[in-house]
Amino acid sequence: MNPAQEKAEDLARRIAVCRVCAAHLPHGVRPVTSFSPSAKLLIIGQAPGSKVHLSGTPWDDKSGDRLREWTGLDRETMYDSARVALVPMGFCYPGKASGGDKPPRRECAPLWHDEVLAILPEDRLTLLVGSYAQSYYLPATRTLSMTERVRRFRDFLPEVLPLPHPAWRSTLWMRQNPWFETEVLPVLRTRIAAILA
């Protein structure tokens, strides 16, 4: 095993035993992430939902199905950590709130993300899925709505591409914003195919 892979596996082990937020997680601690030093596509989402918390597999739910549809990734490619890194803003399921899940715990990203990103290739494409990832990684755009960020997606290329969260609510959002399907998705799929080629 090469040193970069050893470093990645050591980091994954340390994340797996993290208990920093344990007192705030009503369903227990189960960090869910996947990465390797060769992954040239990075998908930063929100936090695992209840189904992902049970399975331990990132994006193993209907949101994941929609994200795969948007990106053109099949399950095999999406879960190939040598090609795709799956890193949420919060690694554990935060529990329910009124109208959906609670926000990702704020401790995770400052604690772990820099270490994960340092392992990944510099010439990667990063998908910022949802407003939490976008606010954190595009701080200059905090005054913009998620829709405005996604509409201006070309401003962030070639390194970053913001996307809405593919929850069930995105069906209505896509109907209200037809440009997403005609303008953003073709570029998204082309960029992913190129970066993974």
Side-chain angles (χ1 to χ4, degrees), residues 25-95:
L25 298 170
H27 300 276
V29 176
R30 187 173 195 182
V32 179
T33 186
S34 174
F35 54 87
S36 105
S38 58
K40 295 188 79 172
L41 176 62
L42 167 61
I43 301 175
I44 302 180
Q46 295 188 167
S50 57
K51 186 174 179 190
V52 171
H53 176 74
L54 292 174
S55 74
T57 302
W59 296 103
D60 184 25
D61 53 18
K62 289 187 177 175
S63 292
D65 293 341
R66 184 170 286 118
L67 183 61
R68 282 185 287 277
E69 181 184 320
W70 288 353
T71 58
L73 294 169
D74 57 28
R75 284 185 70 91
E76 182 181 355
T77 305
M78 188 170 185
Y79 294 124
D80 179 358
S81 64
R83 303 176 80 193
V84 180
L86 304 171
V87 182
M89 290 300 295
F91 292 142
C92 293
Y93 172 49

Side-chain angles (χ1 to χ4, degrees), residues 30-159:
R30 187 173 195 182
V32 179
T33 186
S34 174
F35 54 87
S36 105
S38 58
K40 295 188 79 172
L41 176 62
L42 167 61
I43 301 175
I44 302 180
Q46 295 188 167
S50 57
K51 186 174 179 190
V52 171
H53 176 74
L54 292 174
S55 74
T57 302
W59 296 103
D60 184 25
D61 53 18
K62 289 187 177 175
S63 292
D65 293 341
R66 184 170 286 118
L67 183 61
R68 282 185 287 277
E69 181 184 320
W70 288 353
T71 58
L73 294 169
D74 57 28
R75 284 185 70 91
E76 182 181 355
T77 305
M78 188 170 185
Y79 294 124
D80 179 358
S81 64
R83 303 176 80 193
V84 180
L86 304 171
V87 182
M89 290 300 295
F91 292 142
C92 293
Y93 172 49
K96 285 279 179 209
S98 59
D101 290 342
K102 291 180 182 176
R105 294 296 310 170
R106 293 185 178 193
E107 296 87 344
C108 284
L111 186 61
W112 296 113
H113 277 209
D114 284 350
E115 284 194 74
V116 175
L117 270 55
I119 285 169
L120 300 178
E122 287 186 17
D123 59 337
R124 64 182 176 266
L125 172 64
T126 300
L127 308 183
L128 298 176
V129 182
S131 56
Y132 294 106
Q134 291 165 19
S135 294
Y136 190 84
Y137 281 100
L138 302 173
T141 70
R142 282 192 182 139
T143 58
L144 300 178
S145 68
M146 184 275 300
T147 298
E148 289 171 311
R149 286 190 205 104
V150 175
R151 190 187 288 272
R152 297 182 186 186
F153 73 99
R154 286 186 176 86
D155 295 349
F156 312 108
L157 289 173
E159 294 89 10

